[in-house]
Amino acid sequence: MENSSDSPNPEPEGQEEEEKAEKWSDWKWQLKNRIMSVGRLPRPSHTHNVDEKIISRVTDVFPMAVTPYYASLIDWEDENDPIRMQCIPDERELISGRGEMEDPLREESYSPMPSIVHRYPDRVLFLVTMKCSTYCRHCTRKRKVGDRNAEITAQDIRNGIEYIRKHEEVRDVLISGGDPFTLSDQALDRILGAVRAIPHVEVIRIGTRTPVVLPQRITESLVSVLKKYHPLWINTHFNHPREITPESEKALARLADAGIPLGNQTVLLKGVNDSPEILKELFHLLVKNRVRPYYLYHCDYSRGIQHFRTPVCRGIEILEKLIGYTSGFAIPLYVVDVTGGGGKIPLLPNYCIEKSDTGMTLRNFEGNIYHVEQDQEYRVPVSTDAG
Ligand SMILES: *Cc1c(COP(=O)(O)O)cnc(C)c1O
Ligand code: SF4
């Protein structure tokens, strides 16, 4: 923000404050005033721990953008602040880590055209933009988001809709990017209308980080567009309890009140949220805001995010501390999106100690052992359906 607050004239202060608050809650102002270069970072006197040269070197490779709102959540005194780690460039992004590659999920080989990834039998990922209001340092599509050469064109979107129309097996369309809510209400209305007009599409989903980084964007007018296209589900991307603010709670309430089922995908990030206490607090706050924790992702193998990656077993250890100890619906499924295009593989603590003809030996969350009998006469019913 401009340094206008130390104006010598005390008179219009109340009015100035009011104008400031009005601008602050205007999402277009937030977008226009995104922090995209070192020079625009807020500079409280204690930001000596920001190395401008390093940030410039990193942003030459991976762009930076942070909404003033999201930046205001940073505690600059703390070099390892979880909000800061997610949005301010770090030297370690330039390191190539073990097993990292440009396209670890092999999305490209499942991508018949720039806007479509068709990996699973009955659903597609429909990429409608590569822009985001805030670029996450841990983004899995880091190589593409914010890259002018990878931008999705209007023709790409038309081709995507045509693809979905031709593929009658697609019953679930996941609109993502980039962040779809960087598009205008009119553009979203057109895209959603076109997808909803396809008879075999049962469910539309939107994946967005907007309630986290730009909650002001969830306006009454956006919601009135969205609710025309039910059944519409939204998955958002909260990673830390400090991201739940009065603003984001208001955005979530607007969406939930419009009858939109809300889910959340959290990425397990070293130094940000890799502890059962932090995640439990986050998941409790989410369900209080009518958001169902959906997936907890192991940090994948995209280039430049090694410093965020925990061992795979860390996610299982964390689940072990949640399952049984809190509401089942506050616990997401832990998934590893494996390198090589295998897709998402769910992982659970191992509760099965032994399997035999007579049954199974299981342990419960407290470590007690139980035996479950198995009917030896049981036969799997023969399927009559050709599929
Ligand atoms: C995650 C993902 C989906 C959706 O998967 P669900 O398990 O149904 O949420 C669809 N397509 C691609 C390419 C994905 O990565
Ligand atoms: S909002 Fe999503 S697509 Fe955009 S940078 Fe963050 S993780 Fe990547």
Side-chain angles (χ1 to χ4, degrees):
M1 277 184 302
E2 296 315 316
N3 204 9
S4 57
S5 54
D6 41 27
S7 133
N9 185 357
E11 269 277 277
E13 213 172 63
Q15 197 185 336
E16 234 172 65
E17 286 300 308
E18 224 169 85
E19 272 171 34
K20 223 164 140 189
E22 205 171 293
K23 277 188 193 158
W24 190 258
S25 57
D26 174 2
W27 67 274
K28 288 182 180 151
W29 181 90
Q30 288 280 343
L31 267 188
K32 210 161 68 200
N33 288 280
R34 293 189 305 165
I35 299 159
M36 301 190 71
S37 64
V38 191
R40 300 286 308 248
L41 279 173
R43 209 176 302 249
S45 54
H46 48 261
T47 53
H48 54 270
N49 53 12
V50 170
D51 186 326
E52 305 200 350
K53 271 203 215 87
I54 288 175
I55 294 185
S56 302
R57 258 176 47 217
V58 178
T59 52
D60 285 345
V61 186
F62 301 115
M64 163 168 72
V66 190
T67 57
Y69 161 79
Y70 196 62
S72 76
L73 305 182
I74 297 176
D75 172 5
W76 290 99
E77 308 250 14
D78 178 4
E79 209 165 333
N80 299 313
D81 177 74
I83 310 290
R84 172 182 176 154
M85 284 181 70
Q86 292 183 72
C87 65
I88 303 297
D90 185 295
E91 192 172 21
R92 291 169 293 180
E93 293 173 45
L94 300 174
I95 304 171
S96 272
R98 232 174 110 102
E100 285 183 345
M101 43 187 92
E102 292 302 326
D103 181 16
L105 308 181
R106 286 246 206 109
E107 285 196 331
E108 230 101 285
S109 55
Y110 292 102
S111 180
M113 56 186 67
S115 61
I116 294 282
V117 185
H118 194 171
R119 172 66 188 85
Y120 299 100
D122 67 343
R123 53 208 190 279
V124 294
L125 189 58
F126 182 19
L127 307 175
V128 296
T129 177
M130 281 299 162
K131 295 200 181 79
C132 303
S133 63
T134 296
Y135 291 118
C136 309
R137 306 324 297 176
H138 56 273
C139 179
T140 174
R141 291 202 193 90
K142 217 172 151 113
R143 73 191 190 286
K144 281 207 172 151
V145 295
D147 176 352
R148 254 174 254 266
N149 303 318
E151 193 41 88
I152 302 280
T153 64
Q155 187 58 47
D156 290 330
I157 292 178
R158 282 194 291 273
N159 293 345
I161 290 164
E162 204 40 47
Y163 180 91
I164 298 164
R165 208 186 325 260
K166 284 201 184 118
H167 287 256
E168 292 189 16
E169 72 277 21
V170 176
R171 43 160 291 286
D172 173 5
V173 174
L174 170 44
I175 297 176
S176 181
D179 192 326
F181 289 166
T182 54
L183 300 180
S184 67
D185 292 359
Q186 292 80 353
L188 286 164
D189 200 0
R190 276 197 302 273
I191 294 170
L192 289 166
V195 175
R196 184 40 85 215
I198 302 172
H200 54 266
V201 173
E202 295 168 8
V203 174
I204 301 176
R205 290 195 259 178
I206 297 177
T208 175
R209 209 177 185 208
T210 295
V212 186
V213 292
L214 183 60
Q216 298 82 1
R217 171 71 184 98
I218 311 300
T219 57
E220 291 294 354
S221 125
L222 172 65
V223 167
S224 68
V225 168
L226 299 176
K227 69 183 197 194
K228 292 194 288 178
Y229 301 108
H230 277 310
L232 174 86
W233 295 53
I234 288 182
N235 259 337
T236 173
H237 174 182
F238 285 88
N239 288 332
H240 195 277
R242 287 229 328 265
E243 294 170 337
I244 310 274
T245 63
E247 287 96 329
S248 61
E249 289 191 311
K250 187 171 157 199
L252 294 172
R254 269 200 180 148
L255 295 169
D257 287 347
I260 302 170
L262 301 174
N264 185 72
Q265 318 200 136
T266 295
V267 186
L268 182 59
L269 299 169
K270 185 160 85 189
V272 173
N273 61 11
D274 55 338
S275 92
E277 293 76 27
I278 291 173
L279 285 180
K280 192 156 132 184
E281 187 187 349
L282 172 65
F283 299 153
H284 285 173
L285 285 167
L286 286 170
V287 298
K288 274 167 79 179
N289 284 283
R290 292 179 278 173
V291 183
R292 165 78 155 99
Y294 179 52
Y295 283 144
L296 174 65
Y297 280 97
H298 172 60
C299 184
D300 72 31
Y301 293 85
S302 298
R303 192 153 284 163
I305 60 176
Q306 181 193 30
H307 55 296
F308 284 120
R309 201 168 300 124
T310 66
V312 175
C313 62
R314 185 63 191 144
I316 300 174
E317 287 164 11
I318 290 174
L319 280 194
E320 178 95 57
K321 298 243 165 71
L322 299 179
I323 294 173
Y325 293 98
T326 192
S327 321
F329 65 83
I331 304 171
L333 192 63
Y334 180 48
V335 291
V336 183
D337 217 335
V338 291
T339 302
K344 297 178 185 74
I345 299 180
L347 289 174
L348 265 176
N350 187 15
Y351 293 105
C352 176
I353 301 208
E354 205 186 344
K355 244 179 187 169
S356 71
D357 287 346
T358 61
M360 276 187 180
T361 307
L362 305 177
R363 76 169 168 92
N364 77 349
F365 69 104
E366 294 155 313
N368 302 324
I369 309 292
Y370 302 87
H371 190 75
V372 180
E373 297 292 335
Q374 181 167 291
D375 177 2
Q376 285 175 276
E377 302 302 304
Y378 181 78
R379 293 288 173 272
V380 176
V382 180
S383 170
T384 47
D385 128 358

